[in-house]
C-alpha cells in the first residue's frame, strides 16, 4: 500500500499542491508568530540583563495602589534615605536614580519618537556608573546640558554641540547636547539624561529620587536587604537586585505572552479555515477514485489498508506543507519585526518551539481533515468496482440538519452566557460558542445553499443564458461540496464583518458620547505620556477670548479598601465640561470632598454626607465627604476628587488635560490657542469635531489591524475555491466534452465556470456577513452599559465585501476555466 500512496501522490501533484497551500499559509502564521515572539523575548532579555547590573539591593517606595501607571504613581524616596544608607555595613556605592518623562524635539519641530501608544520617552539622571556608556562627547554638567542616545540623535538629525528643545512635566527647556550615549537596542524608546540636580528639578522634585540602588561589599543580597530595611522610614521597602530584574522581565513576559496568544488566535482561525479546504479536497479526490479504491478492496486490500493509503497522502501533504510553512513563517516574522521600528533590529531567534509546533499543527490538521474521507473510502464494497455508477455513501441530511441546528443554538447560548459576564472569564465560552456556531452553520449550509443559490443564480440564469443556467445547476448539483467550499470563506468574512460592525458601533457610540457629554469648547492634552507641562495653563488663560482654563488630574487610590482611579478637577468646571447631571447634592467639593456616580453610590451604600476612606499613593488615608452624586458619565468615570485633596498627597502632580471655555468657538480662537502653545509641540488643541476625528482614527486603526490579520483566512478560502473548481473540472471532464460537442463555445464554457465560482463565493460571503452582523449586534448589546450604546452597521463596507467576494470568485476561476477551455473534445468525451 505504500507504493499505492506514492503513486497517488505523483498522479495528483497539482491537486495536492493546492491543498498544501492551505497548510502552508496556516502553518506560516503559527510559525511566524512563535519566531517573532521568541526573537522579541530574547531582545528583551538582553535589554533587561543590563538592568540592575551590579545592583545588590534597591530601595523604593512601597506601592500602595495597583494603578494602570505601573508604579509611576509611587512616592519618591527622600535624599535623606541615601545619607542613612551610606552608614549601613555592607552597602557599596549607593546612588540615587531619577527617572521620568523627557522628550526631545527634532530639527523639524516634531517630538522624536512615537509617543502615542508607542515606546516610552525616558528621562534620567546621569550618574556615571549606569548601564549606558558615552559614545561621543561628555557627561552633562549643569542645567543647560543634556545627553541623548544615538538613535534619538539620528532620528532628529542632531549632533554633539546642537541646541535642542527638551520637553518635561515643567516648562520646555533649551539645552545643549554635550554627549551621545550608546544605549544599545532600547526597543524604540528614547533616552535623555541630565545631571542629578537638573533631573530632580525637571522630572521629580529637588531632594528626591525615584529609587536608590547599591552594590554589596560582601553580604548576600538577601542579607544586605534585611540590613537596609532596618534603617528605612515608613513607606519604603528594600528589594534584592535579582527580584528587581525578575519584576522587569515578568512585566515584559506578560505583555509578550498576551501578544503571542493574540496572534495565535488569528493563526488558529486560518488553520480552522484551512481544515475545511483540506477536508473538501480529500473528499473530492476520494470520490473521483471510487472505482480505483473499490478495485483495491476487490483484490484483497483491507479497509484499514485503504484508510492508511489515503492518510499516508495526507501525512505527505502535511510534512511538505509544514516545512514550507515554517520557511514562510520566518519571512512573516521578519515582516512583523519591520513593523515595530527599532524594536525589531535584533534579528530573528530560532528555537525548537516553532519547528515542533509547525509540524504538529500541519500534520495533525491535515490528517484529521483527511480522516473522514478516508473512512468513507474504506467502506466502499469490493463489488462496486464492477459498476459504472459507484458513489461514496452519504449520510442523511436529516442527521446533518438536526446536529447543525443543535450546535448553532448551543453556540449562540454559550456566546450569550459569556457576554452576559457573571464574573467569569468570557473569552472561553465566547470562543467555544463561536466555534460551535461556525461548525453548526457549516453543517446547515448544504440545506441553506439550495434556496439561497437559486436566488443568487437567478440573475445569471436570466441574463447570461445557457452558461448562467448551467452554472447555477452545477453549484446546486452537490450542495455538500458547495457548502464546504463556501464555509471556508464564510468564517473569514464572518469575523471581518464582526470587527467592522464593532468598529462602526464604536465610532457611532463615541460620537454620541461626545455630542451628549462634552460641553467644553476645547480640550488641551498631550499626544504623549508626559501630560500637560506646567505653565501651559497660564498661556492658555492669556489667550484673548478664553474665559476659563481648568486643569484636570488623574490619580489612583484605595477607595473604601479597593483599588480605583479618579479624576481631580474644579467640580463646577467639570460639571459644565462633561454635561454632568447632578442627581443629589452639589458640585462644591471644597477641601476634602468627593463626587461619585449613581452606580458607585448604590453599590457602596453612599449618599450625600457619607464619609469615604481614601488611601492615596503616599500611603496616607483621609476621609473624604460625598458632596454630590451624578448620573453615569463615560467621559468622567465614576469618581471626582477635590483638587486640594489630590495636591496634599501628590508630591509631583501632573496635569492630564486642560478644559477650556471661550467666548466664541471660531477658527481664530483655535488658531490663537495653538499659537500660544507653539513651544509645546506635544500638546494638541481639540474641539468637539477634532475629538471625534481622533477617536475615529484610533478605531479605524484597530479595525484595519484586525482585518489585516483576518485576511489570511480569506486568502486560504480563495485557494479552496480554486481547488474545488479545479477538481470539479477534472471530475466533469466527459460532461465538458459533451457540452463542447453539442456546440457550446470555449468562451461560454469559461463563463459558466466563472459564474459558478462567483455564486459559491457570494454564497459564502452572504452567510459570513449574516453571522458577522449577528455577532456584532450581540457584542454591542452586551457592552451597551460599557459605552457601546449605539449599534451601527456599515452597509457600504459590507457591500464592498460582497463585491470583493465576487472578485475572489472571478480570480479563483481563472485557472480552472482556462484549463477547461483547452480540453480536447474527443479525449474529454472518451474519458471514463
Amino acid at each position: 500500500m505504500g507504493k499505492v500512496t506514492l503513486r497517488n501522490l505523483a498522479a495528483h501533484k497539482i491537486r495536492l499542491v493546492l491543498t498544501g497551500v492551505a497548510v502552508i499559509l496556516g502553518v506560516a502564521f503559527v510559525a511566524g508568530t512563535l519566531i517573532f515572539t521568541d526573537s522579541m523575548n530574547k531582545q528583551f532579555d538582553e535589554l533587561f540583563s543590563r538592568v540592575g547590573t551590579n545592583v545588590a539591593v534597591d530601595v523604593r517606595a512601597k506601592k500602595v495602589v495597583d494603578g494602570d501607571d505601573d508604579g509611576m504613581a509611587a512616592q519618591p524616596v527622600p535624599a535623606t534615605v541615601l545619607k542613612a544608607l551610606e552608614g549601613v555595613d555592607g552597602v557599596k556605592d549607593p546612588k540615587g536614580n531619577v527617572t521620568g518623562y523627557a522628550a526631545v524635539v527634532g530639527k523639524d519641530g516634531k517630538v522624536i519618537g512615537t509617543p502615542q501608544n508607542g515606546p516610552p520617552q525616558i528621562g534620567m539622571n546621569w550618574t556615571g556608573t549606569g548601564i549606558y556608556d558615552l559614545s561621543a562627547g561628555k557627561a552633562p554638567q549643569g542645567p543647560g546640558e543634556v545627553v541623548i542616545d544615538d538613535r534619538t540623535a539620528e532620528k532628529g538629525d542632531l549632533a554633539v554641540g546642537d541646541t535642542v528643545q527638551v520637553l518635561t512635566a515643567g516648562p520646555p527647556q533649551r539645552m545643549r547636547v554635550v554627549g551621545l550615549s550608546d544605549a544599545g537596542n532600547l526597543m524604540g524608546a528614547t533616552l535623555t539624561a541630565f545631571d542629578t540636580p537638573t533631573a530632580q528639578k525637571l522630572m521629580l522634585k529637588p531632594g528626591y529620587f525615584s529609587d536608590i540602588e547599591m552594590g554589596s561589599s560582601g553580604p548576600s543580597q538577601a542579607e544586605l536587604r534585611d540590613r537596609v530595611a532596618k534603617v528605612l522610614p515608613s513607606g519604603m521597602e528594600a528589594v534584592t537586585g535579582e527580584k528587581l530584574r525578575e519584576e522587569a522581565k515578568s512585566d515584559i513576559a506578560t505583555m509578550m505572552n498576551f501578544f503571542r496568544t493574540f496572534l495565535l488566535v488569528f493563526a488558529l482561525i486560518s488553520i480552522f479555515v484551512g481544515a475545511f479546504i483540506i477536508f473538501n479536497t480529500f473528499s473530492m479526490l476520494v470520490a473521483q477514485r471510487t472505482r480505483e479504491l473499490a478495485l483495491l478492496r476487490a483484490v484483497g486490500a483491507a479497509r484499514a489498508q485503504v484508510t492508511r493509503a489515503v492518510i499516508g497522502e495526507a501525512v505527505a501533504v502535511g510534512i511538505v506543507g509544514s516545512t514550507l510553512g515554517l520557511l514562510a513563517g520566518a519571512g512573516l516574522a521578519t515582516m512583523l519585526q519591520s513593523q515595530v521600528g527599532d524594536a525589531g533590529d535584533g534579528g530573528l531567534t530560532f528555537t525548537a518551539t516553532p519547528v515542533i509546533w509547525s509540524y504538529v499543527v500541519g500534520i495533525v490538521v491535515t490528517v484529521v481533515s483527511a480522516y473522514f474521507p478516508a473512512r468513507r473510502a474504506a467502506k466502499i464494497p469490493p463489488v462496486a468496482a464492477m459498476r459504472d455508477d459507484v458513489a461514496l455513501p452519504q449520510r442523511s441530511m436529516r442527521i446533518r440538519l438536526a446536529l447543525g441546528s443543535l450546535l448553532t443554538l448551543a453556540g449562540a447560548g454559550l456566546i450569550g452566557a459569556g457576554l452576559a459576564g457573571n464574573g467569569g472569564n468570557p473569552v472561553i465560552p465566547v470562543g467555544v460558542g463561536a466555534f460551535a456556531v461556525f461548525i453548526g452553520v457549516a453543517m446547515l449550509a448544504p440545506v441553506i445553499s439550495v434556496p439561497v443559490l437559486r436566488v443568487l443564480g437567478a440573475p445569471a440564469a436570466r441574463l447570461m443564458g445557457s452558461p448562467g443556467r448551467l452554472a447555477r445547476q452545477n453549484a446546486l448539483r452537490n450542495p455538500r461540496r458547495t457548502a464546504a467550499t463556501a464555509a471556508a470563506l464564510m468564517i473569514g468574512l464572518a469575523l471581518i464583518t464582526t470587527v467592522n460592525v464593532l468598529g462602526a458601533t464604536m465610532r457611532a457610540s463615541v460620537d454620541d458620547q461626545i455630542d451628549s457629554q462634552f460641553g467644553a469648547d476645547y480640550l488641551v492634552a498631550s499626544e504623549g505620556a508626559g501630560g500637560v507641562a506646567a505653565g501651559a495653563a497660564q498661556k492658555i488663560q492669556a489667550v484673548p477670548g478664553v474665559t476659563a482654563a481648568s486643569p484636570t488630574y488623574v490619580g489612583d487610590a484605595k477607595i473604601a479598601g479597593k483599588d480605583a482611579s479618579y479624576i481631580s478637577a474644579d467640580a463646577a468646571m467639570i460639571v459644565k465640561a462633561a454635561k454632568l447631571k447632578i442627581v443629589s447634592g452639589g458640585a462644591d467639593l471644597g477641601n476634602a470632598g468627593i463626587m461619585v456616580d449613581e452606580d458607585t453610590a448604590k453599590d457602596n451604600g453612599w449618599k450625600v454626607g457619607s464619609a469615604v476612606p481614601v488611601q492615596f499613593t503616599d500611603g496616607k488615608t483621609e476621609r473624604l465627604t460625598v458632596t454630590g452624586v451624578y448620573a453615569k458619565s463615560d467621559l468622567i468615570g465614576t469618581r471626582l476628587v477635590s483638587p486640594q485633596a489630590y495636591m496634599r498627597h501628590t508630591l509631583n502632580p501632573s496635569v492630564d488635560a486642560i478644559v477650556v471655555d471661550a467666548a466664541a468657538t471660531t477658527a481664530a480662537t483655535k488658531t490663537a490657542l495653538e499659537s500660544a502653545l507653539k513651544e509645546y509641540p506635544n500638546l494638541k488643541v481639540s474641539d468637539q469635531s477634532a475629538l471625534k476625528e481622533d477617536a475615529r482614527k484610533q478605531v479605524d486603526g484597530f479595525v484595519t489591524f484586525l482585518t489585516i490579520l483576518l485576511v489570511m483566512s480569506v486568502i486560504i478560502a480563495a485557494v479552496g475555491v480554486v481547488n474545488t473548481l479545479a477538481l470539479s473540472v477534472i471530475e466533469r471532464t466527459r460532461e465538458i466534452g459533451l457540452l463542447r460537442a453539442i456546440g457550446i463555445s470555449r468562451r461560454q464554457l469559461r463563463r459558466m465556470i466563472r459564474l459558478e465560482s462567483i455564486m459559491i463565493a457570494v454564497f459564502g460571503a452572504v452567510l459570513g456577513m449574516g453571522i458577522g452582523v449577528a455577532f456584532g449586534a450581540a457584542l454591542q448589546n452586551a457592552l451597551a452599559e460599557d459605552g457601546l450604546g449605539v449599534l451601527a452597521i456599515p452597509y457600504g463596507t459590507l457591500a464592498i465585501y460582497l463585491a470583493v467576494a465576487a472578485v475572489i470568485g472571478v480570480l479563483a476561476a481563472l485557472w480552472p476555466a482556462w484549463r477547461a477551455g483547452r480540453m480536447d473534445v474527443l479525449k474529454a468525451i472518451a474519458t471514463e
Side-chain angles (χ1 to χ4, degrees):
M1 295 304 291
K3 293 181 179 179
V4 172
T5 299
L6 293 175
R7 189 203 67 185
N8 286 329
L9 286 170
H12 308 106
K13 293 186 289 292
I14 296 178
R15 311 175 210 178
L16 293 176
V17 164
L18 289 173
T19 307
V21 170
V23 181
I24 292 168
L25 294 177
V27 169
F29 211 150
V30 174
T33 297
L34 295 176
I35 293 172
F36 171 70
T37 51
D38 282 347
S39 301
M40 296 300 290
N41 278 328
K42 182 181 178 182
Q43 292 183 52
F44 278 119
D45 286 343
E46 291 176 352
L47 175 63
F48 285 107
S49 66
R50 302 169 65 182
V51 175
T53 303
N54 300 322
V55 174
V57 174
D58 186 79
V59 172
R60 62 191 183 187
K62 291 180 181 178
K63 190 175 181 182
V64 177
V65 182
D66 293 324
D68 293 334
D69 51 14
D70 200 22
M72 292 300 290
Q75 292 297 297
V77 181
T80 54
V81 175
L82 180 61
K83 295 292 184 182
L85 292 174
E86 292 174 350
V88 177
D89 185 29
V91 169
K92 179 183 178 182
D93 300 327
K95 64 177 182 178
N97 296 318
V98 180
T99 56
Y101 166 80
V104 176
V105 179
K107 288 186 177 179
D108 58 359
K110 297 180 180 179
V111 179
I112 299 173
T114 52
Q116 186 135 5
N117 301 320
Q121 293 168 306
I122 303 170
M124 59 178 288
N125 63 321
W126 188 270
T127 62
T129 57
I131 59 176
Y132 306 117
D133 299 321
L134 283 172
S135 59
K138 66 181 186 71
Q141 296 176 348
E145 297 184 349
V146 66
V147 168
I148 61 177
D149 67 275
D150 294 322
R151 290 176 185 260
T152 299
E154 182 180 349
K155 292 175 184 177
D157 192 23
L158 301 171
V160 174
D162 288 346
T163 299
V164 298
Q165 183 178 355
V166 180
L167 304 176
T168 64
Q173 305 290 316
R174 299 294 295 180
M175 310 184 84
R176 187 166 63 90
V177 178
V178 296
L180 302 179
S181 65
D182 179 12
N185 186 2
L186 280 175
M187 315 300 286
T190 63
L191 181 69
T192 308
F194 317 90
D195 68 353
T196 296
T198 304
Q200 290 174 322
K201 177 183 176 182
L202 295 178
M203 297 182 296
L204 205 56
K205 192 173 183 178
Y208 287 87
F209 298 104
S210 301
D211 67 296
I212 299 174
E213 62 183 39
M214 65 211 74
S216 172
S217 61
S220 67
Q221 290 189 4
E223 183 179 354
L224 184 61
R225 176 199 60 200
D226 294 339
R227 293 182 185 178
V228 167
K230 293 178 181 179
V231 302
L232 295 181
S234 175
M236 299 291 139
E237 67 175 353
V239 297
T240 63
E242 185 62 32
K243 182 179 180 181
L244 195 67
R245 288 184 286 273
E246 287 177 0
E247 288 177 350
K249 290 182 179 180
S250 176
D251 291 340
I252 295 299
T254 300
M255 180 189 72
M256 292 306 299
N257 286 338
F258 170 80
F259 188 61
R260 172 181 286 194
T261 303
F262 179 79
L263 289 179
L264 285 178
V265 167
F266 290 91
L268 291 176
I269 291 170
S270 297
I271 291 169
F272 182 43
V273 171
F276 279 87
I277 307 305
I278 298 165
F279 171 82
N280 207 26
T281 301
F282 274 92
S283 294
M284 296 182 71
L285 287 175
V286 168
Q288 291 174 13
R289 291 156 48 196
T290 300
R291 178 177 290 184
E292 172 192 329
L293 297 173
L295 188 59
L296 287 174
R297 295 277 286 114
V299 298
R303 285 187 176 186
Q305 289 178 303
V306 174
T307 301
R308 284 198 298 269
V310 179
I311 292 296
E313 296 177 33
V315 171
V317 171
I319 291 174
V320 174
S322 298
T323 303
L324 296 177
L326 181 60
L327 296 175
L332 179 61
T334 301
M335 185 180 71
L336 287 172
Q337 280 198 328
S338 69
Q339 299 302 308
V340 295
D342 293 340
D345 289 349
L348 295 181
T349 298
F350 293 92
T351 65
T353 302
V355 176
I356 293 172
W357 279 109
S358 294
Y359 282 100
V360 168
V361 169
I363 295 172
V364 169
V365 170
T366 308
V367 170
V368 170
S369 301
Y371 175 74
F372 295 102
R375 282 288 305 276
R376 288 207 302 270
K379 293 179 180 179
I380 301 173
V383 72
M386 312 296 179
R387 297 168 52 190
D388 291 330
D389 60 343
V390 60
L392 286 175
Q394 298 284 353
R395 290 187 177 183
S396 171
M397 280 286 195
R398 293 180 180 177
I399 298 176
R400 193 183 189 101
L401 180 61
L403 188 56
S405 300
L406 180 63
L407 282 172
T408 303
L409 291 174
L414 282 172
I415 292 173
L419 293 177
N422 299 325
N425 183 0
V427 175
I428 294 178
V430 170
V432 173
F435 179 80
V437 167
F438 284 135
I439 295 295
V441 174
M443 296 184 73
L444 293 172
V447 180
I448 302 171
S449 66
V450 176
V452 173
L453 285 171
R454 288 188 187 280
V455 174
L456 292 177
R462 180 172 299 178
L463 300 175
M464 299 295 181
S466 296
R469 289 192 295 272
L470 288 171
R472 183 169 66 168
Q473 290 172 8
N474 288 334
L476 290 168
R477 178 185 301 180
N478 192 330
R480 296 173 190 266
R481 179 190 305 165
T482 299
T485 306
L489 192 59
M490 169 196 76
I491 296 168
L493 282 177
L495 295 172
I496 289 176
T497 300
T498 301
V499 169
N500 279 268
V501 170
L502 188 60
T505 296
M506 292 170 67
R507 286 190 291 268
S509 298
V510 170
D511 285 353
D512 179 69
Q513 288 173 8
I514 292 175
D515 287 336
S516 62
Q517 299 181 25
F518 185 73
D521 294 326
Y522 300 99
L523 185 73
V524 177
S526 172
E527 293 187 287
V532 179
Q538 287 78 6
K539 290 185 177 293
I540 293 172
Q541 288 175 334
V543 173
V546 170
T547 57
S550 177
T552 63
Y553 307 88
V554 176
D556 296 298
K558 280 190 181 296
I559 301 179
K562 297 179 181 179
D563 292 344
S565 59
Y566 62 85
I567 296 291
S568 182
D570 177 76
M573 186 72 176
I574 289 297
V575 167
K576 179 183 177 183
K579 296 182 180 179
L580 284 184
K581 179 182 177 182
I582 305 297
V583 177
S584 61
D588 184 9
L589 289 172
N591 191 48
I594 181 172
M595 294 177 67
V596 296
D597 70 357
E598 287 181 291
D599 292 340
T600 303
K602 181 179 178 181
D603 292 342
N604 292 276
W606 297 336
K607 58 184 179 180
V608 175
S610 297
V612 180
V614 179
Q615 185 180 19
F616 291 90
T617 53
D618 62 354
K620 297 178 181 179
T621 300
E622 185 173 342
R623 299 184 75 83
L624 302 183
T625 302
V626 176
T627 63
V629 177
Y630 55 87
K632 181 180 178 180
S633 171
D634 295 309
L635 294 183
I636 296 303
T638 58
R639 302 165 184 87
L640 180 62
V641 171
S642 161
Q644 291 91 329
Y646 171 80
M647 293 295 182
R648 283 196 296 272
H649 301 281
T650 306
L651 187 67
N652 190 31
S654 175
V655 177
D656 182 67
I658 298 177
V659 178
V660 181
D661 271 348
T665 55
T666 62
T669 302
K670 187 175 181 181
T671 301
L673 285 169
E674 291 171 342
S675 177
L677 297 173
K678 62 182 179 181
E679 61 180 315
Y680 303 91
N682 61 326
L683 298 185
K684 182 176 181 180
V685 180
S686 301
D687 55 15
Q688 193 174 80
S689 60
L691 288 174
K692 290 181 181 180
E693 184 62 28
D694 289 342
R696 291 190 194 106
K697 286 180 180 179
Q698 292 186 22
V699 173
D700 290 343
F702 166 75
V703 170
T704 301
F705 175 65
L706 294 185
T707 301
I708 290 173
L709 292 177
L710 289 167
V711 162
M712 183 73 79
S713 64
V714 176
I715 294 173
I716 294 174
V719 171
V721 178
V722 176
N723 219 357
T724 298
L725 287 175
L727 293 171
S728 180
V729 166
I730 294 170
E731 186 180 79
R732 289 157 25 202
T733 299
R734 178 185 286 185
E735 175 187 321
I736 290 171
L738 290 172
L739 288 173
R740 293 279 287 115
I742 62 175
I744 192 171
S745 68
R746 290 184 177 180
R747 176 178 295 180
Q748 288 176 311
L749 183 63
R750 290 194 290 266
R751 183 179 299 167
M752 177 192 74
I753 294 174
R754 284 197 298 270
L755 289 172
E756 179 184 351
S757 177
I758 291 172
M759 290 178 195
I760 294 173
V762 171
F763 171 57
V766 169
L767 272 183
M769 288 190 293
I771 294 173
V773 169
F775 281 179
L779 284 169
Q780 183 275 328
N781 184 66
L783 299 173
E785 296 297 322
D786 297 318
L788 294 185
V790 181
L791 174 63
I793 299 175
Y795 294 104
T797 302
L798 297 187
I800 292 173
Y801 287 156
L802 194 62
V804 169
V807 172
I808 289 174
V810 172
L811 296 176
L814 289 178
W815 180 63
W818 174 80
R819 183 171 181 176
R822 293 184 70 249
M823 283 185 183
D824 183 274
V825 176
L826 294 178
K827 289 183 179 180
I829 294 173
T831 301
E832 295 185 1

